[in-house]
Amino acid sequence: MELAGNLGVQQLAFAGGATIAEMVTAINAVKNATGVSAVASGGDLGLYSTTFRASQFVRLTTIAGTFAPTSGIDYGRDAQVTVNGAAAQADGLNVNYRSSYIDIELDIQQAFMEAVSG
């Protein structure tokens, strides 16, 4: 299969009897080259971008064999934040809000976003 993220593309080969755990290990071994990490969840393989931002993506393509991902490509998203009931501008985990009486910039911690998004 071919795995792509914002940092690059890697091709990975698995035997027909490969387990989800083996796939997770192989994908995580190249996460610094692809920007994609993997987790096993209830017998499923979950792929995630290693950074937050709407421009981030994960793409999984089968080159040969019968492995069929449920989604070929998925994109990240920016945080959605309101300040005093008004939408703030977000770029990944960086948030900016400006009005006639307040000017604020803040960074949301990754652990907080993971807890909120489940």
Side-chain angles (χ1 to χ4, degrees):
M1 70 176 153
E2 183 177 87
L3 178 67
N6 282 74
L7 298 180
V9 178
Q10 293 285 313
Q11 291 184 357
L12 302 169
F14 298 99
T19 66
I20 297 293
E22 291 168 333
M23 296 174 84
V24 167
T25 299
I27 292 167
N28 287 336
V30 297
K31 73 179 174 183
N32 290 334
T34 61
V36 177
S37 65
V39 296
S41 176
D44 292 329
L45 174 66
L47 302 177
Y48 299 91
S49 174
T50 57
T51 58
F52 290 86
R53 175 169 278 125
S55 62
Q56 301 301 304
F57 74 94
V58 172
R59 184 179 68 226
L60 183 63
T61 308
T62 301
I63 297 172
T66 59
F67 181 76
T70 56
S71 176
I73 189 167
D74 198 9
Y75 293 91
R77 58 184 177 212
D78 294 323
Q80 294 181 339
V81 178
T82 58
V83 177
N84 291 335
Q89 296 290 349
D91 182 20
L93 299 177
N94 305 313
V95 178
N96 293 297
Y97 177 78
R98 289 175 178 78
S99 70
S100 58
Y101 59 92
I102 190 171
D103 185 354
I104 187 171
E105 295 181 22
L106 58 105
D107 294 324
I108 300 171
Q109 295 296 311
Q110 180 175 337
F112 176 77
M113 287 301 293
E114 290 169 349
V116 170
S117 63

